[in-house]
Amino acid sequence: MKKRAARVQQGEEVTLCCCEYVNRHGERSHVAACCCDCEDLDDACERFVKREPQRAESLAKVAEVFKDRVRVPWLWGGARKVDLSIIPPLILLPALLHLAALHFLLGLVVLTALPGLVLWYYYFTHYKKGQTLFFLSLALFSLGYMYYLFITEVFPSGDISLAQVSMVTVGVVLTLIALVYTKREPGIVPLNQNPVPCTVRCDSSLTDNSTGINGGRQDATMAAADRIRSSGQEDAEPKESSRRNWCTTCRVVRPPRAGHCRICGVCVLRLDHHCVWINSCVGQANHRSFLLTLILFLLTSLYGISLVLQSVCPKQPLLLALLSCPGVYNQYRTALCFTCAWYSSIVTGGLLHLLAVQVINISHNVTEREARVALREKTARSTYWGLVVDTGVYSRGFRGNWTEFLTMGDKCNALAVAPTDLV
């Protein structure tokens, strides 16, 4: 079946119903027509039947068409595209956990292989510097699925009180609220020339190795200049002394401690790192809410794990229940709850390490990005196998560092400057 779609003119305002959308060719289409105009797929199938070699670009074109047409109806603005990376966790996580609950050895294999697969995919996507919703989908679905099993499998056993269920529910809700707030804005370097307020102490001599004013520290007195967009300034370049603060991608002069994220494609104020679990950068505007999200999730997870172990292993001490729980595999329900407790413990252990790194870095007033740069250039003191990295530039003592972190503003203030004015 072949249907000719009407092409939407550029700049034309289009009113779409809930099932309509504008495809990658700029043509108006409908979700019901997902099987129409499949020339690339037809050609690939025909070559397969005739045992002819496939064209080099055929499979890539089929994949592009498939990704463009997988959409869900939406009331405002037409059908929305579905990112395919969110689907694997929704299928694999329940399947693997139920498989692991069948036998002890299967649980050992699955719970050993699952973190390895996640780490492999993390390094694969990190190498390609591409955005993916896989980890955010895995995190959210893990939280939701563990809560669902807690309500449907653990609570009906009668070992958990309504007050304890309420505590877990409040923890899940607060974690989601903190996550939504964290996802709002990391603190992108502004595109306009208006100065914006800053309460973070900056030193231009550390992260980007540029020379500080009179060789000393300074409070933030610089702001991001406007990205060069006009034709008269398009080729303007900063002087040699400020070249390290110049972002050639965003064409903006970065304030001290700001950095460019190659995954998001923007410069972020006081960039700490890009977190794949929230699919966003952690910067000056959302660093505190990111830390709060970690704490809320860990408290909720630890409390939930303790309740599950008390229910399925009531005769064992809490600290030993994960290692020894006789008879837990006699019933599938208890085996599934025990497997989910182990899965949650693995996730909690990884996030405890992340929280420890965050607390240590904040205590020394150093971001994760600054720590990596300082270790690479051997300008920092590293102890405890690299867990503690102290650059010694921004630190004002434990109390002063935490005061600065908790009171820093969402944006960075500086006088708007042209790229060629920094010396």
Side-chain angles (χ1 to χ4, degrees), residues 157-206:
S157 65
D159 300 323
I160 307 299
S161 67
L162 186 60
Q164 291 172 324
V165 173
S166 301
M167 289 289 293
V168 174
T169 303
V170 169
V172 171
V173 172
L174 290 178
T175 301
L176 293 176
I177 293 174
L179 177 61
V180 170
Y181 189 82
T182 303
K183 286 279 296 176
R184 291 195 313 168
E185 171 65 46
I188 299 175
V189 175
L191 302 179
N192 52 53
Q193 295 182 352
N194 298 324
V196 289
C198 174
T199 56
V200 176
R201 241 168 18 94
C202 300
D203 189 334
S204 58
S205 61
L206 172 69

Side-chain angles (χ1 to χ4, degrees), residues 314-326:
K315 298 181 180 180
Q316 289 292 98
L318 186 60
L319 296 179
L320 298 178
L322 273 176
L323 302 178
S324 176
C325 187

Side-chain angles (χ1 to χ4, degrees), residues 90-379:
L90 308 183
I91 301 174
L92 292 178
L93 183 61
L96 291 177
L97 289 179
H98 282 271
L99 177 65
L102 294 177
H103 193 273
F104 168 75
L105 292 179
L106 283 175
L108 184 63
V109 172
V110 169
L111 293 176
T112 302
L114 186 58
L117 290 174
V118 173
L119 287 175
W120 171 82
Y121 189 69
Y122 166 76
Y123 285 111
F124 174 76
T125 55
H126 184 72
Y127 174 77
K128 296 190 69 174
K129 301 297 180 184
Q131 282 191 325
T132 176
L133 293 177
F134 175 86
F135 299 99
L136 178 61
S137 173
L138 178 61
L140 290 176
F141 187 65
S142 297
L143 181 64
Y145 191 64
M146 294 303 103
Y147 180 73
Y148 167 77
L149 291 178
F150 181 81
I151 296 298
T152 58
E153 300 292 344
V154 180
F155 180 59
S157 65
D159 300 323
I160 307 299
S161 67
L162 186 60
Q164 291 172 324
V165 173
S166 301
M167 289 289 293
V168 174
T169 303
V170 169
V172 171
V173 172
L174 290 178
T175 301
L176 293 176
I177 293 174
L179 177 61
V180 170
Y181 189 82
T182 303
K183 286 279 296 176
R184 291 195 313 168
E185 171 65 46
I188 299 175
V189 175
L191 302 179
N192 52 53
Q193 295 182 352
N194 298 324
V196 289
C198 174
T199 56
V200 176
R201 241 168 18 94
C202 300
D203 189 334
S204 58
S205 61
L206 172 69
T207 309
D208 299 314
N209 292 336
S210 57
T211 305
I213 299 176
N214 296 328
R217 298 177 182 175
Q218 53 184 324
D219 288 339
T221 57
M222 301 173 59
D226 184 30
R227 295 181 186 179
I228 309 303
R229 296 300 184 188
S230 63
S231 58
Q233 294 179 326
E234 185 67 27
D235 297 327
E237 294 292 337
K239 294 181 179 179
E240 184 65 28
S241 58
S242 63
R243 192 173 294 274
R244 288 183 180 270
N245 286 336
W246 171 255
C247 179
T248 57
T249 303
C250 300
R251 301 199 62 82
V252 66
V253 178
R254 295 191 298 257
R257 307 195 77 175
H260 180 81
C261 177
R262 289 180 289 176
I263 298 177
C264 296
V266 295
C267 289
V268 179
L269 299 169
R270 198 183 180 276
L271 175 64
D272 188 80
H273 69 288
H274 179 90
C275 182
V276 295
W277 297 106
I278 65 173
N279 193 36
S280 177
C281 291
V282 177
Q284 183 174 321
N286 66 345
H287 201 165
R288 289 170 298 180
S289 59
F290 174 76
L291 189 67
L292 178 62
T293 304
L294 275 180
I295 294 174
L296 289 173
F297 180 87
L298 289 173
L299 291 176
T300 305
S301 179
L302 290 172
Y303 185 63
I305 292 171
S306 66
L307 293 178
V308 172
L309 293 179
Q310 288 175 8
S311 176
V312 299
C313 304
K315 298 181 180 180
Q316 289 292 98
L318 186 60
L319 296 179
L320 298 178
L322 273 176
L323 302 178
S324 176
C325 187
V328 71
Y329 282 91
N330 293 339
Q331 296 182 5
Y332 185 76
R333 182 192 68 83
T334 58
L336 180 61
C337 295
F338 185 73
T339 302
C340 292
W342 254 109
Y343 172 74
S344 300
S345 300
I346 295 173
V347 175
T348 301
L351 292 182
L352 277 174
H353 175 266
L354 177 59
L355 178 64
V357 172
Q358 287 291 311
V359 170
I360 292 172
N361 287 345
I362 294 170
S363 301
H364 291 83
N365 203 350
V366 60
T367 64
E368 186 175 323
R369 172 179 173 271
E370 293 167 349
R372 289 199 306 265
V373 173
L375 289 176
R376 184 171 63 245
E377 299 181 353
K378 299 180 180 180
T379 58

